[in-house]
Amino acid sequence: MEKIILTGDRPTGKLHLGHYVGSLKRRVELQNSGLYDKIFVMIADAQALTDNADNPEKVRQNVIEVALDYLSAGLDPEKTTIFIQSQVPELAELAFYYMNLVTVSRVQRNPTVKTEIKMRNFEQSIPVGFFCYPVSQASDITAFNATTVPVGEDQAPMIELTREIVDRFNMIYGETLVKPEILLPDNAACLRLPGIDGKAKMSKSLGNCIYLSDTPKQVKKGVNSMYTDPLHLNIEDPGHLEGNCPFIYLDAFCTPEQVKRYAPQYESLDEMKAHYVRGGLGDGTVKKLLTQVLEETLAPMRERRAIYEQDIPGVYEILRKGSETARAAAAQTLDRVRKAMKINYFDDPALIKEQAARYKK
Ligand code: TRP
């Protein structure tokens, strides 16, 4: 069986460090591993509209932002098909069929949807489209026969639902769809990167982000304002690591080699942490190391971004070509699905012949 990746992001804002460690970094590695036959990365504009129906301009403007973030982070259009969800109408068709296979109470139990409904004050009136986005996500994944879906932890309930839909579809209509596996970040700190304020999650609406497109000055400012240990007032005081952002970010970003290079007085990050806990290590030193480490990731991205920013028509051309490739792939799955569901009336001569014979006098 072919090894195929599908994943994507809603274009509701620029991508930040949470997106990077949660999924984007892994995608670039998987792309460059050569282990996958096909890789699809989708800008989920239709899904973004499920809770931004009244703000189409926001979605429209952020499609290019996300595309620039992808290309800057190292996604290579020669190896990865980058496309826009709405330009593949087969996905909407597939979702329409899958809705028959899912109950309302099943979607209501989805913890990610529950949280999002609360965050958006949708409790009283949930748009039906928003409520159904987990089902539409199952079509995004299965339309491309994806075997692997690299995503952050919050997307796990969607993959779970997709697997259930695949089982149900294949049971009712015969073996047609490929059942995907989720691929989570392997580093605990990457699973859910907190915001710079120490809050649960880095998120645009909470205003606690460092963006991939931030300038060195903005990155430095973000790191310097990070939540650390409120009890660690003097350098000599013993420090606490729990919820301490710079250390959490170092866990997510810093390699052993970078410790050697930027903080040679320590054998490892663990040794540095032990020093902090003992007392005698100031937040400023930790933040300085983090800034250097982040810059190693972000500087090459900025360079690539600067080039693509000067060729916006070229980026749209990448998206147009990618959308065409994606559409052709999804159309093949839809052919199989229509056949399995017995809605392929015009390409089934046997059906017409048989019914003609039945009525023939
Ligand atoms: N729900 C994802 C997000 O909020 C975006 C998305 C849409 C996606 N369809 C997908 C992710 C399919 C993985 C697979 O970022």
Side-chain angles (χ1 to χ4, degrees):
M1 192 167 68
E2 278 188 311
K3 288 174 70 137
I4 300 175
I5 288 177
L6 176 118
T7 183
D9 300 277
R10 291 182 201 170
T12 50
K14 297 173 172 209
L15 301 184
H16 50 59
L17 292 179
H19 292 114
Y20 183 72
V21 290
S23 173
L24 195 48
K25 181 174 176 225
R26 180 51 99 53
R27 290 180 209 172
V28 176
E29 287 164 7
L30 294 172
Q31 166 194 273
N32 296 334
S33 75
L35 291 172
Y36 289 83
D37 298 292
K38 288 180 196 146
I39 304 178
F40 295 94
V41 176
M42 180 179 77
I43 302 180
D45 63 335
Q47 188 175 110
L49 285 167
T50 64
D51 63 333
N52 287 283
D54 53 355
N55 205 350
E57 195 56 30
K58 170 173 148 192
V59 175
R60 183 184 177 82
Q61 293 303 331
N62 279 306
V63 168
I64 191 77
E65 293 299 335
V66 172
L68 286 168
D69 285 329
Y70 283 170
L71 294 165
S72 320
L75 287 183
D76 173 358
E78 296 289 320
K79 299 180 185 151
T80 295
T81 302
I82 305 174
F83 71 100
I84 305 179
Q85 186 182 27
S86 63
Q87 303 309 299
V88 183
E90 284 78 2
L91 298 175
E93 184 183 345
L94 200 52
F96 194 61
Y97 303 141
Y98 288 175
M99 284 184 206
N100 303 333
L101 307 178
V102 181
T103 62
V104 169
S105 64
R106 180 68 188 87
V107 179
Q108 272 168 339
R109 285 203 306 274
N110 183 312
T112 300
V113 175
K114 267 194 199 164
T115 315
E116 287 174 326
I117 287 173
K118 270 206 201 98
M119 267 170 53
R120 287 163 180 71
N121 292 321
F122 275 167
E123 279 108 329
Q124 292 312 311
S125 57
I126 311 170
V128 174
F130 180 79
F131 187 75
C132 295
Y133 93 73
V135 182
S136 116
Q137 199 157 331
S139 41
D140 302 335
I141 295 167
T142 53
F144 300 97
N145 302 316
T147 49
T148 310
V149 187
V151 280
E153 195 184 27
D154 60 329
Q155 297 298 304
M158 314 304 162
I159 319 304
E160 207 33 58
L161 182 69
T162 304
R163 291 168 58 83
E164 287 173 29
I165 291 175
V166 168
D167 280 340
R168 237 177 116 62
F169 190 103
N170 288 348
M171 193 179 68
I172 300 173
Y173 304 114
E175 203 62 31
T176 311
L177 302 173
V178 175
K179 198 166 166 182
E181 305 277 348
I182 189 170
L183 188 62
L184 291 169
D186 40 22
N187 173 338
C190 297
L191 267 177
R192 190 169 286 246
L193 195 72
I196 58 173
D197 56 357
K199 295 261 166 58
K201 197 179 161 181
M202 186 172 275
S203 117
K204 187 171 170 231
S205 46
L206 297 174
N208 59 7
C209 301
I210 294 176
Y211 292 98
L212 301 183
S213 48
D214 276 356
T215 61
K217 217 169 138 193
Q218 286 170 316
V219 174
K220 199 166 162 198
K221 198 168 156 230
V223 172
N224 285 338
S225 68
M226 270 183 186
Y227 178 86
T228 58
D229 171 7
L231 303 173
H232 186 240
L233 297 174
N234 303 300
I235 292 186
E236 309 76 53
D237 293 341
H240 299 84
L241 296 172
E242 195 167 318
N244 193 313
C245 284
F247 280 109
I248 298 174
Y249 280 56
L250 283 171
D251 280 336
F253 284 92
C254 186
T255 63
E257 190 263 329
Q258 285 172 321
V259 178
K260 281 209 182 73
R261 191 141 34 96
Y262 294 125
Q265 65 275 37
Y266 300 108
E267 274 295 315
S268 65
L269 198 54
D270 282 343
E271 211 180 279
M272 187 176 189
K273 286 180 188 167
H275 189 185
Y276 188 83
V277 171
R278 246 184 357 256
L281 173 58
D283 286 328
T285 311
V286 186
K287 287 177 170 176
K288 183 155 176 258
L289 169 63
L290 177 60
T291 307
Q292 287 168 312
V293 166
L294 289 180
E295 276 306 318
E296 261 196 59
T297 298
L298 295 175
M301 284 195 213
R302 262 183 230 120
E303 270 173 43
R304 276 192 294 263
R305 183 178 249 271
I307 296 168
Y308 283 114
E309 278 178 350
Q310 294 315 305
D311 184 20
I312 296 297
V315 176
Y316 272 103
E317 194 49 28
I318 290 170
L319 296 176
R320 197 184 58 77
K321 282 206 189 110
S323 300
E324 265 173 31
T325 306
R327 191 165 184 195
Q332 287 190 11
T333 304
L334 257 293
D335 278 346
R336 281 190 287 120
V337 162
R338 291 194 204 99
K339 197 166 171 205
M341 293 182 69
K342 300 187 176 293
I343 51 177
N344 60 333
Y345 309 102
F346 306 130
D347 64 4
D348 187 1
L351 168 77
I352 301 171
K353 214 171 137 191
E354 181 228 312
Q355 292 184 343
R358 198 182 327 142
Y359 285 104
K360 190 87 189 169
K361 292 211 180 86

